């Protein structure tokens, strides 16, 4: 059983099918049929993404994935405001956390908000670190190790009354929650977590405050990101997003059923020697589980013929989880934890 969909997903067969039909020409070449054709295909794909998400086409920037989107948005805004104050959380994905840590070494004023005892970033905790000159806040929607949903609506409403720019890495919320894109100034999405290929992601720029480009070169994507557009990947991503929106209710049901099936499986095979780490305000795609008296890494290695999963984030596979540490887990509890994550396109039952 592949149970590591929070790390990466297989490409959906329909996504594969549409990618095979994409022509090779350069989007910016305008003088021959192939170029006109790809321009039409990519423009349609962009329009479809915009319609599904309820945003404008010109707010979409194609990137190589969520790591690049996070770097682009965070560095691109913060470096515009040398006198500003900036906030993120201690449980962000490393592509956010390490970007802030790097900016801190350059002298930028950064604060880190910790989760409450349920692993959730709340408005109350955020308010404790807000300053008069806070300019930009980056808080993920759903944590990739715990599955806990942060207080995004409350945080967004508060930040917008204060005119503070708000970015959210929604990688693990896409396709799992109904998302209101009006909550955000900037959004990060990754293709390979939603059955699209690896190497494609979105940075969505809703604010008029545009991040400084990470990649300079020619004027592709209105100067947001230089580099030739990746035809197949863009069209694959657009198709994957369309599948999410077309199948949302059914996908949600399958994710719930997968999770319940897994809980029964754990009951039958482990009895009461396992604990579900987070129970409240969680998505149904991620289950953080502690196997009592077992080291998670060894458990996964010994049972890899039955379960293919991770202990936590695949970006920090050999370190004890800083996310669980921030959630006040003991070293022993961290060692015992594994993460099981599900796809709406692969039924376990
Ligand atoms: N943000 C979150 C919450 C993630 O879970 C991941 C991947 O693990 C990333 C960012 C990085 O995504 P990508 O592989 O597209 O760079």
């Amino acid at each position: 059983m592949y149970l590591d969909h929070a790390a990466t997903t297989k490409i959906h067969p329909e996504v594969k099918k549409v990618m095979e039909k994409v022509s090779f020409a350069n989007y910016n070449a305008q003088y021959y049929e192939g170029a006109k054709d790809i321009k039409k295909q990519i423009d349609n794909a962009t329009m479809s993404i915009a319609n599904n998400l309820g945003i404008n086409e010109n707010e979409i920037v194609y990137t190589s994935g969520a790591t690049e989107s996070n770097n682009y948005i965070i560095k691109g805004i913060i470096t515009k405001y040398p006198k500003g104050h900036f906030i993120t959380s201690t449980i962000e994905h490393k592509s956010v956390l390490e970007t802030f840590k790097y900016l801190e070494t350059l002298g930028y004023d950064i604060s880190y908000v910790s989760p409450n005892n349920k692993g959730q970033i709340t408005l109350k905790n955020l308010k404790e670190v807000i300053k008069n000159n806070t300019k930009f806040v980056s808080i993920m929607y759903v944590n990739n190790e715990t599955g806990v949903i942060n207080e995004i609506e409350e945080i967004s409403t508060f930040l917008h009354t204060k005119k503070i720019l708000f970015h959210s890495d929604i990688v693990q919320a896409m396709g799992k929650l109904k998302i209101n894109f009006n909550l955000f100034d900037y959004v990060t999405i990754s293709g390979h977590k939603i059955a699209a290929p690896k190497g494609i992601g979105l940075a969505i720029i809703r604010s008029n405050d545009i991040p400084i480009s990470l990649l300079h070169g020619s004027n592709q994507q209105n100067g947001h990101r230089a580099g030739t557009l990746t035809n197949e990947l863009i069209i694959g991503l657009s198709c994957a997003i369309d599948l999410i929106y077309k199948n949302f209710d059914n996908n949600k049901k399958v994710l719930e059923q997968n999770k319940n099936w897994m809980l029964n499986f754990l009951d039958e095979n482990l009895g009461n020697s396992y604990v579900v780490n987070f129970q409240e305000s969680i998505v149904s795609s991620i289950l953080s589980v502690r196997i009592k008296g077992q080291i998670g890494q060894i458990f996964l290695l010994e049972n890899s013929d039955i379960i293919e999963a991770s202990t936590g984030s695949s970006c920090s596979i050999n370190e004890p989880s800083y996310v669980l540490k921030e959630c006040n887990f003991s070293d022993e509890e961290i060692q015992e934890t594994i993460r099981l994550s599900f796809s709406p396109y692969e039924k376990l039952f």
Side-chain angles (χ1 to χ4, degrees):
M1 277 183 281
Y2 179 73
L3 299 173
D4 208 10
H5 292 91
T8 199
T9 56
K10 288 174 203 155
I11 304 177
H12 193 285
E14 279 190 44
V15 172
K16 258 192 194 151
K17 207 158 80 191
V18 295
M19 284 172 66
E20 277 163 13
K21 293 191 196 133
V22 177
S23 56
F24 77 97
N26 189 316
Y27 178 88
N28 282 358
Q30 348 173 349
Y31 304 116
Y32 44 94
E33 273 317 304
K36 284 184 198 156
D37 189 41
I38 192 62
K39 182 164 184 338
K40 201 152 71 190
Q41 287 183 43
I42 289 187
D43 287 348
N44 285 341
T46 306
M47 202 189 317
S48 159
I49 294 176
N51 288 341
N52 275 321
L53 304 189
I55 61 174
N56 293 321
E57 288 152 63
N58 60 8
E59 295 171 339
I60 292 173
V61 181
Y62 294 110
T63 65
S64 63
T67 298
E68 182 188 327
S69 300
N70 285 335
N71 270 266
Y72 163 51
I73 293 164
I74 296 164
K75 288 178 184 158
I77 290 300
I78 292 183
T79 53
K80 283 171 83 173
Y81 297 101
K83 297 209 166 75
H85 167 249
F86 311 95
I87 300 172
T88 191
S89 86
T90 53
I91 57 167
E92 295 296 309
H93 185 264
K94 285 221 163 172
S95 57
V96 168
L97 206 49
E98 292 302 315
T99 304
F100 274 93
K101 293 248 164 86
Y102 165 71
L103 291 165
E104 207 173 6
T105 67
L106 300 183
Y108 290 93
D109 182 15
I110 317 269
S111 299
Y112 299 89
V113 53
S114 295
N116 66 10
N117 59 7
K118 292 177 180 141
Q120 190 182 40
I121 304 295
T122 61
L123 176 58
K124 180 172 167 287
N125 289 9
L126 176 70
K127 277 181 173 172
E128 284 164 13
V129 294
I130 291 269
K131 295 187 191 175
N132 283 337
N133 65 335
T134 302
K135 188 74 202 158
F136 170 88
V137 172
S138 178
I139 304 287
M140 71 199 322
Y141 208 135
V142 170
N143 183 271
N144 50 301
E145 289 191 38
T146 65
V148 174
I149 307 165
N150 292 321
E151 279 188 2
I152 291 299
E153 286 186 21
E154 295 85 341
I155 289 172
S156 164
T157 307
F158 171 76
L159 292 178
H160 284 149
T161 58
K162 298 258 173 211
K163 301 214 167 6
I164 297 171
L165 297 168
F166 183 35
H167 165 237
S168 189
D169 172 342
I170 69 160
V171 165
Q172 300 291 351
M174 250 328 253
K176 320 304 182 304
L177 301 174
K178 281 227 156 88
I179 292 160
N180 170 8
F181 283 82
N182 293 330
L183 297 172
F184 311 111
D185 297 296
Y186 312 98
V187 181
T188 291
I189 291 172
S190 172
H192 73 99
K193 313 284 184 175
I194 53 168
K198 293 174 187 51
I200 182 81
L202 295 179
I204 298 172
I205 312 300
R206 308 222 70 204
S207 167
N208 292 328
D209 204 335
I210 309 288
I212 297 168
S213 182
L214 206 56
L215 302 182
H216 297 94
S218 310
N219 197 36
Q220 286 99 342
Q221 306 206 60
N222 300 321
H224 286 296
R225 182 190 193 268
T228 304
L229 289 181
T230 51
N231 304 355
E232 297 84 352
L233 303 184
I234 290 171
I235 285 166
L237 176 65
S238 177
C239 175
I241 291 178
D242 204 40
L243 288 172
I244 286 178
Y245 279 83
K246 279 203 181 111
N247 303 311
F248 190 85
D249 291 336
N250 189 53
N251 284 359
K252 198 162 185 269
K253 209 163 79 194
V254 174
L255 283 171
E256 273 304 327
Q257 286 168 321
N258 275 345
K259 186 173 132 185
N260 290 335
W261 184 93
M262 181 48 60
L263 287 168
N264 277 333
F265 178 85
L266 292 173
D267 273 345
E268 277 167 19
N269 289 282
L270 298 172
N272 53 11
S273 55
Y274 83 98
V275 180
V276 176
N277 285 332
F278 300 90
Q279 310 251 17
E280 275 175 50
S281 187
I282 55 167
V283 283
S284 43
S285 50
I286 295 177
L287 204 54
S288 172
V289 173
R290 194 150 55 78
I291 319 279
K292 288 189 231 165
Q294 298 250 13
I295 294 178
Q297 284 178 331
I298 294 174
F299 177 84
L300 289 177
L301 281 171
E302 284 179 353
N303 292 287
S304 63
D305 53 334
I306 307 168
I307 285 179
E308 295 168 294
S310 301
T311 50
S313 169
S314 37
C315 298
S316 21
I317 204 136
N318 291 319
E319 307 157 22
S321 162
Y322 62 91
V323 171
L324 295 180
K325 225 177 179 60
E326 276 296 313
C327 298
N328 292 324
F329 278 51
S330 68
D331 290 346
E332 191 186 345
E333 288 168 333
I334 295 173
Q335 274 200 336
E336 289 174 348
T337 292
I338 60 170
R339 177 189 66 180
L340 308 174
S341 53
F342 315 111
S343 161
Y345 304 125
E346 283 177 42
K347 286 185 184 170
L348 298 173
F349 48 94

